[in-house]
Amino acid sequence: QVVESGGGFVQPGQSLSLSCETSGFSLEEDAIGWFRQAPGKEREGVSCISDGGRTIRHVDSVKGRFTISREAAEDTVYLQMNSLKPEDTAVYYCAAAWRPSPNICTFVEGQYDVWGQGTQVTVSS
């Protein structure tokens, strides 16, 4: 399973760090993705990290502002979100892919086997 935490309410320009604690997965062999769903919109991929952290991807709208990292010893993946904007407001989901192709992570939801319940991020003045 995967469990997200760290959401909250912040003002534009501020930062938040989300955590994704995994159980039953190995960050050395499995891929983790962060997705988000804003009200009235489809869920979209935000950031992902492949097995061993060898490949990292970010959607264009968050490049330069969001950073994905992992702490393998803790089976936890982090999403550091800086310079937050109102359009970042969404429910953020963590998802885990079991033994995907090496060095690959994608924003294809079907790649992921387990999803968390989501954590709300609200950016507003």
Side-chain angles (χ1 to χ4, degrees):
Q1 65 174 8
V2 297
V3 179
E4 309 94 338
S5 62
F9 183 100
V10 296
Q11 294 184 334
Q14 293 185 330
S15 300
L16 274 177
S17 181
L18 304 183
S19 299
C20 173
E21 295 184 43
T22 70
S23 176
F25 289 89
S26 166
L27 298 185
E28 294 299 327
E29 297 179 282
D30 302 319
I32 302 295
W34 282 99
F35 293 76
R36 67 185 179 186
Q37 187 167 23
K41 295 187 177 181
E42 293 187 353
R43 188 159 57 187
E44 65 169 347
V46 177
S47 303
C48 66
I49 185 167
S50 72
D51 56 305
R54 286 178 280 273
T55 298
I56 288 175
R57 297 181 63 191
H58 297 286
V59 69
D60 286 347
S61 60
V62 308
K63 286 181 179 177
R65 300 189 297 122
F66 289 13
T67 302
I68 188 170
S69 62
R70 67 190 191 106
E71 178 54 64
E74 298 177 356
D75 294 327
T76 300
V77 172
Y78 301 95
L79 185 67
Q80 177 66 38
M81 307 185 295
N82 298 328
S83 301
L84 282 162
K85 303 176 181 180
E87 50 263 45
D88 295 317
T89 295
V91 178
Y92 283 71
Y93 297 91
C94 176
W98 174 264
R99 304 298 192 267
S101 298
N103 303 324
I104 291 176
C105 72
T106 76
F107 295 141
V108 176
E109 294 190 16
Q111 177 191 5
Y112 295 88
D113 302 293
V114 174
W115 292 77
Q117 293 298 308
T119 184
Q120 177 70 46
V121 172
T122 302
V123 185
S124 176
S125 56

